[in-house]
């Protein structure tokens, strides 16, 4: 059995040099050192914040700035999977954003209409869609270049105070359907449940039926 260690908010100082070399990532590297030492699988939360290394307001990024973001996404996934400590890890999970539906941390809401939008605001879900697409492309590219490794992407890890969105269907099920239709990679469906878990089995069954 493999045990995972979750790295969250560990990418704040990650950047690419002029030569395209990944630099910074101090917290990520510290966590990966411990993960490697104890024989764990890295579970890295990605896309939580706008990278400080890319200037401008993210809502108004140009295509070249998004290309920089794509390059950074790829570099981080490739580094964790294939290069950390010389060989990377045989398995890695990259989970896009953490509880974007409910977070009240303004730094997390980097593509919403304002940093003060309410929980469940449509712009939160729009942000997730945008960010997820970029990381899914990176994970898919690295995974296909490393077929001997188990490199996966997960989402949307909702706080589950916002169980449904839009059409009233469990948001995870909506994402499964949408990304399947768009041929966007999704390996793991994640949910967070707090307090009363009486409906968790119902939500899980809904997601399972959608996957089938």
């Amino acid at each position: 059995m493999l045990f995972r260690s979750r790295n969250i908010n560990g990418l704040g100082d990650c950047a690419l040099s002029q030569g395209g070399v990944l630099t910074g990532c101090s917290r990520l590297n510290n966590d990966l050192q411990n993960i490697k030492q104890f024989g764990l699988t890295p579970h890295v939360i990605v896309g939580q914040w706008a990278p400080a290394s890319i200037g401008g307001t993210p809502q108004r990024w140009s295509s070249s700035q998004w290309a920089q973001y794509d390059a950074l996404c790829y570099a981080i996934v490739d580094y964790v999977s294939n290069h950390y400590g010389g060989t990377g890890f045989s398995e890695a999970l990259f989970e896009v954003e953490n509880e974007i539906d409910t977070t009240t941390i303004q730094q997390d809401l980097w593509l919403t209409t304002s940093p003060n939008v309410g929980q469940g605001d449509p712009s939160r879900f729009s942000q997730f869609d945008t960010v997820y697409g970029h990381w899914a492309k990176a994970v898919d590219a690295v995974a296909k270049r490393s077929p001997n490794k188990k490199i996966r992407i997960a989402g949307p890890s909702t706080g589950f105070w916002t169980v449904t969105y839009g059409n009233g269907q469990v948001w995870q099920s909506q994402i499964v359907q949408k990304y399947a239709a768009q041929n966007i990679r999704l390996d793991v469906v994640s949910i967070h449940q707090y307090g009363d878990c009486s409906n968790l089995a119902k939500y899980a069954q809904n997601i399972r039926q959608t996957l089938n």
Side-chain angles (χ1 to χ4, degrees):
M1 179 182 293
L2 292 176
F3 293 92
R4 291 179 286 112
S5 177
R6 199 166 185 251
N7 166 269
I8 187 168
N9 298 339
L11 309 181
D13 61 340
C14 291
L16 288 179
S17 70
Q18 291 285 348
V21 176
L22 186 66
T23 63
C25 297
S26 55
R27 180 168 177 177
L28 175 64
N29 279 316
N30 182 69
D31 285 356
L32 291 178
Q33 180 181 11
N34 293 325
I35 290 168
K36 180 77 80 171
Q37 178 183 350
F38 292 102
L40 305 174
T41 295
H43 177 167
V44 184
I45 306 304
V46 298
Q48 191 76 9
W49 301 337
S53 60
I54 302 177
T57 303
Q59 292 90 337
R60 294 193 290 273
W61 274 358
S62 65
S63 58
S64 64
Q65 287 167 306
W66 279 113
Q68 292 177 53
Y69 188 68
D70 283 332
L72 182 60
C73 294
Y74 181 90
I76 291 170
V77 174
D78 189 46
Y79 173 69
V80 173
S81 303
N82 294 318
H83 301 292
Y84 178 80
T87 58
F89 293 84
S90 60
E91 180 175 345
L93 178 65
F94 299 89
E95 186 174 34
V96 179
E97 299 192 322
N98 181 62
E99 301 184 356
I100 187 61
D101 60 326
T102 59
T103 180
T104 57
I105 300 172
Q106 293 188 355
Q107 190 176 7
D108 295 345
L109 302 172
W110 58 283
L111 284 176
T112 54
T113 51
S114 87
N116 300 304
V117 293
Q119 293 177 329
D121 185 86
S123 64
R124 292 171 176 260
F125 299 90
S126 177
Q127 171 178 309
F128 177 84
D129 259 350
T130 298
V131 175
Y132 185 89
H134 290 274
W135 284 98
K137 181 169 67 173
V139 168
D140 191 54
V142 174
K144 287 178 176 176
R145 289 179 172 86
S146 311
N148 60 323
K149 296 192 173 187
K150 190 175 184 180
I151 305 168
R152 299 180 297 166
I153 188 165
S157 65
T158 52
F160 245 82
W161 298 337
T162 305
V163 175
T164 59
Y165 168 70
N167 63 15
Q169 185 185 21
V170 174
W171 188 37
Q172 280 80 355
S173 297
Q174 295 181 53
I175 284 174
V176 168
Q177 294 171 330
K178 179 177 181 177
Y179 293 166
Q182 296 176 348
N183 198 30
I184 296 175
R185 185 182 186 116
L186 175 63
D187 301 307
V188 178
V189 178
S190 53
I191 61 175
H192 295 171
Q193 182 73 50
Y194 301 97
D196 181 7
C197 295
S198 58
N199 287 321
L200 184 58
K202 180 180 70 175
Y203 301 147
Q205 183 62 26
N206 182 281
I207 296 167
R208 171 59 63 186
Q209 289 172 349
T210 305
L211 288 168
N212 291 338

